[in-house]
Amino acid sequence: MDLRVIDKSDTELSLEIAGEDHTFMNVIKGALLETEGVTAATYDVNPEQSGGQTDPVLTIKTEESVDALDALEDGTDRVIEKADDFTAAFESAA
C-alpha cells in the first residue's frame, strides 16, 4: 500500500491510497466516521470523473481541536482493533 498526500492542513487531509478498492476504503471511512472529532470522511474512486485518477482518494475533515493526521491514526487503530476482535471471536467459535 502506497500513500501520497494530496492536500494537508490542520483540519483537512486528502491522500491517495494506491492499490486499494471499495472494500478497504469503506472500512477505513466507517472507522473514521466513528472517530471523535471527525466531521466528514469520504473517498472517491471514479477515474472518469476525477481527471484520470486511478487510485482512491480519502478525504478527512475534523473539528478545529482535532488534527486530521491524528484522526487518521485513531481511525486506523480502530480498524486494527475491530480486526483483532473479529479474529478472536472467530477462533473461539471454531
Side-chain angles (χ1 to χ4, degrees):
M1 176 184 307
D2 291 322
L3 305 177
R4 181 176 66 92
V5 175
I6 296 170
D7 190 32
K8 164 83 173 89
S9 69
D10 289 342
T11 60
E12 189 169 340
L13 175 66
S14 291
L15 65 146
E16 185 178 61
I17 304 177
E20 295 302 331
D21 59 17
H22 290 288
T23 303
F24 177 78
M25 298 307 295
N26 275 313
V27 170
I28 192 69
K29 180 187 85 168
L32 285 164
L33 291 172
E34 294 173 354
T35 301
E36 189 172 332
V38 172
T39 59
T42 188
Y43 70 93
D44 177 22
V45 219
N46 192 343
E48 280 84 38
Q49 280 126 19
S50 301
Q53 159 200 334
T54 56
D55 290 313
V57 173
L58 176 69
T59 302
I60 305 163
K61 294 182 182 182
T62 63
E63 297 171 354
E64 290 293 325
S65 61
V66 177
D67 184 88
L69 201 53
D70 291 339
L72 178 60
E73 183 177 5
D74 291 346
T76 56
D77 287 344
R78 186 181 304 276
V79 170
I80 292 167
E81 181 181 311
K82 286 183 177 189
D84 289 346
D85 289 348
F86 178 80
T87 300
F90 179 80
E91 289 174 349
S92 68

